[in-house]
């Protein structure tokens, strides 16, 4: 296998993939209302969606992903009014939603009781993670389905997130009812998750909106405390992991070792992929998961990764790389 061609082979057996045109979106909405699983693009990564008001539909997400049931899902909504139906927003929550919605921000609020959400979707927690996505396909689907959609990233649990329909098909094949293909995701990194409670909002997962932009709206964020039982199981230590072992902060790879590089000084070679030759972190974020999947497909047992700066989107990129490099449980 080589990195020269774009058509590196993935197994996409029997997956039902349709371009996200109006008819396909209507079909997807009908499937969702009947309890089906539909993968769709958001501006961050592809999501694996199900009707968040149905325990049976949500159970299919956990099953398809192989996801532990203590790990709650993000509820996607069409507008702020729908978000308020499920969550109780404090002043910071209103400010942040106003500033960044629709967009790649997830707000964890106190959950409104008996609002009709599947308790499986929220893993029985007193809180709920809410997000109003900006991507046209996601918005049209939410409008057409007329349901809140529980949607984790559309990858097998613990593996690399999916930023194209092909990635989704490779992970799930026919176990998803329909994959809506909208091309590659523009941001390529999951939403930033902010916890709202007493005191300053907490950064629970760095993501597509840099900390600096959020702090400009609501002041300094407090850090999520690291506990053994993760409050945001995206905080599970090993996550976003390719099959190969990742070696971080490696400027020079071993001979023949796949190398994920960054910036104008990134070594070139047959086994190197540069996240952004100009050193642009936005471009690097968009390429991260797709490049990890491509290097992983080369087969060898390790992937070397060059240092990536920590500012802006670099915080979230480094977070994903650290988790991808963490020791595996299994
Ligand atoms: O960009 C994204 O956020 C994508 C797209 C599809 O919207 N979704 C996504 O979902 O990344 P997922 O399931 O891969 O990650 C959601 C994270 C998990 O780490 C989960 O533990 C956390 O959100 N989460 C969900 N509900 C929570 C809650 N009530 N409290 C704390 N963390 C929560
Ligand atoms: Mg995920």
């Amino acid at each position: 296998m080589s990195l020269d061609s774009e058509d590196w082979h993935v197994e996409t057996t029997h997956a039902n993939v349709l371009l996200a045109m109006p008819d396909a979106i209507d079909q997807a909405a009908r499937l969702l209302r009947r309890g089906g699983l539909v993968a769709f693009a958001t501006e961050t990564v592809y999501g694996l969606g199900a009707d968040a008001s149905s325990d049976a539909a949500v159970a299919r997400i956990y099953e398809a992903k192989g996801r532990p049931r203590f790990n709650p899902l993000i509820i996607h909504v069409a507008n702020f009014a729908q978000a308020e139906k499920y969550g109780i927003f404090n002043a910071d929550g209103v400010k942040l939603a106003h500033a960044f919605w629709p967009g790649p921000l997830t707000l964890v609020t106190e959950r409104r009781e008996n609002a009709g959400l599947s308790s499986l979707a929220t893993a029985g927690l007193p809180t709920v993670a809410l997000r109003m996505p900006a991507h046209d396909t996601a918005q049209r689907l939410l409008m057409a389905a007329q349901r809140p959609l529980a949607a984790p990233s559309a990858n097998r649990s613990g593996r690399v997130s999916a930023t194209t329909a092909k990635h989704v098909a490779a992970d799930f094949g026919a176990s998803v009812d329909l994959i809506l293909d909208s091309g590659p995701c523009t941001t390529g990194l999951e939403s930033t998750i902010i916890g709202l409670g007493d005191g300053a909002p907490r950064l629970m997962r760095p993501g597509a909106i840099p900390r600096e932009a959020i702090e400009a709206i609501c002041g300094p964020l407090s850090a999520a405390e690291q506990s053994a039982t993760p409050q945001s199981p995206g905080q599970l230590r090993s996550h976003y992991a390719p099959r190969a072992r990742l070696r971080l902060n490696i400027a020079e790879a071993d001979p023949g070792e796949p190398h994920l590089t960054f910036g104008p000084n990134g070594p070139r070679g047959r086994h190197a992929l540069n996240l952004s030759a100009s050193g642009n972190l936005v471009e690097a974020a968009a390429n991260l998961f797709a490049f990890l999947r491509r290097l992983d497909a080369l087969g060898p047992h390790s992937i070397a990764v060059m240092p990536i700066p920590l500012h802006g989107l670099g915080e979230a990129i480094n977070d994903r790389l650290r988790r991808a490099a963490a020791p595996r449980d299994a």
Side-chain angles (χ1 to χ4, degrees), residues 184-207:
C185 298
T186 45
T187 307
L189 270 183
E190 293 84 351
S191 60
T192 303
I193 303 183
I194 300 291
L196 302 165
D198 302 333
R202 280 181 305 134
L203 181 60
M204 302 182 87
R205 177 177 74 183

Side-chain angles (χ1 to χ4, degrees), residues 51-119:
D51 178 355
S53 61
S54 159
D55 281 328
V58 170
R60 287 196 56 202
I61 293 181
Y62 285 94
E63 182 166 314
K65 279 194 61 126
R67 180 176 174 118
R69 293 192 176 210
F70 60 79
N71 189 355
L73 304 172
I74 295 176
I75 310 302
H76 296 66
V77 294
N79 50 50
F80 188 67
Q82 197 183 16
E84 277 200 298
K85 192 172 154 195
Y86 304 116
I88 300 170
F89 284 73
N90 63 14
D92 282 321
V94 173
K95 256 203 288 195
L96 288 170
H98 187 76
F100 295 110
W101 280 2
L105 176 71
T106 294
L107 294 170
V108 176
T109 70
E110 191 183 331
R111 182 168 57 80
R112 233 180 255 290
E113 274 182 61
N114 305 318
L117 280 186
S118 150
S119 57

Side-chain angles (χ1 to χ4, degrees), residues 40 42 74-78 82 129 131-133 142 147-152:
F40 61 95
T42 79
I74 295 176
I75 310 302
H76 296 66
V77 294
Q82 197 183 16
R131 152 153 146 79
M132 187 200 305
L142 283 160
R147 294 281 201 287
L149 296 181

Side-chain angles (χ1 to χ4, degrees), residues 65 67 153 155 161 190 205 239-240:
K65 279 194 61 126
R67 180 176 174 118
S153 52
N155 52 277
S161 305
E190 293 84 351
R205 177 177 74 183
H239 212 87
Y240 312 102

Side-chain angles (χ1 to χ4, degrees), residues 6-290:
E6 278 297 313
D7 63 0
W8 50 290
H9 174 79
V10 287
E11 191 55 63
T12 55
T13 344
H14 308 313
N16 182 21
V17 185
L18 291 175
L19 285 179
M21 305 298 271
D23 282 355
I25 290 176
D26 287 342
Q27 186 185 331
R30 282 193 300 274
L31 282 166
L32 287 166
R33 283 198 297 269
R34 289 202 302 260
L37 282 188
V38 173
F40 61 95
T42 79
E43 64 277 25
T44 58
V45 297
Y46 273 74
L48 182 60
D51 178 355
S53 61
S54 159
D55 281 328
V58 170
R60 287 196 56 202
I61 293 181
Y62 285 94
E63 182 166 314
K65 279 194 61 126
R67 180 176 174 118
R69 293 192 176 210
F70 60 79
N71 189 355
L73 304 172
I74 295 176
I75 310 302
H76 296 66
V77 294
N79 50 50
F80 188 67
Q82 197 183 16
E84 277 200 298
K85 192 172 154 195
Y86 304 116
I88 300 170
F89 284 73
N90 63 14
D92 282 321
V94 173
K95 256 203 288 195
L96 288 170
H98 187 76
F100 295 110
W101 280 2
L105 176 71
T106 294
L107 294 170
V108 176
T109 70
E110 191 183 331
R111 182 168 57 80
R112 233 180 255 290
E113 274 182 61
N114 305 318
L117 280 186
S118 150
S119 57
L120 195 53
T122 53
L125 292 175
T127 55
V128 58
L130 293 159
R131 152 153 146 79
M132 187 200 305
H135 196 288
D136 188 61
T137 301
Q139 288 210 346
R140 284 170 192 264
L141 187 62
L142 283 160
M143 298 286 273
Q146 293 284 309
R147 294 281 201 287
L149 296 181
S153 52
N155 52 277
R156 304 263 318 154
S157 186
R159 317 301 305 195
V160 179
S161 305
T163 55
T164 67
K166 209 169 173 181
H167 296 160
V168 182
D171 273 21
F172 294 105
S175 60
V176 170
D177 297 307
L178 176 60
I179 300 169
L180 288 173
D181 186 349
S182 306
C185 298
T186 45
T187 307
L189 270 183
E190 293 84 351
S191 60
T192 303
I193 303 183
I194 300 291
L196 302 165
D198 302 333
R202 280 181 305 134
L203 181 60
M204 302 182 87
R205 177 177 74 183
I209 300 180
R211 165 201 294 275
E212 295 88 329
I214 293 173
E215 292 186 330
I217 303 293
C218 66
L221 295 169
S222 69
E225 57 265 33
Q226 300 289 326
S227 61
T229 31
Q231 293 188 297
S232 185
Q235 310 302 344
L236 288 172
R237 224 162 36 120
S238 170
H239 212 87
Y240 312 102
R243 271 171 283 268
R245 190 168 61 88
L246 242 59
R247 302 197 304 127
L248 301 186
N249 300 317
I250 306 288
E252 255 179 83
D254 290 341
E257 184 184 31
H259 199 186
L260 190 62
T261 62
F262 177 82
N265 303 323
R268 286 159 223 231
R270 283 199 342 112
H271 301 291
L273 281 178
N274 197 320
L275 287 169
S276 170
S278 64
N280 178 329
L281 288 164
V282 175
E283 184 186 16
N287 286 330
L288 178 68
F289 290 130

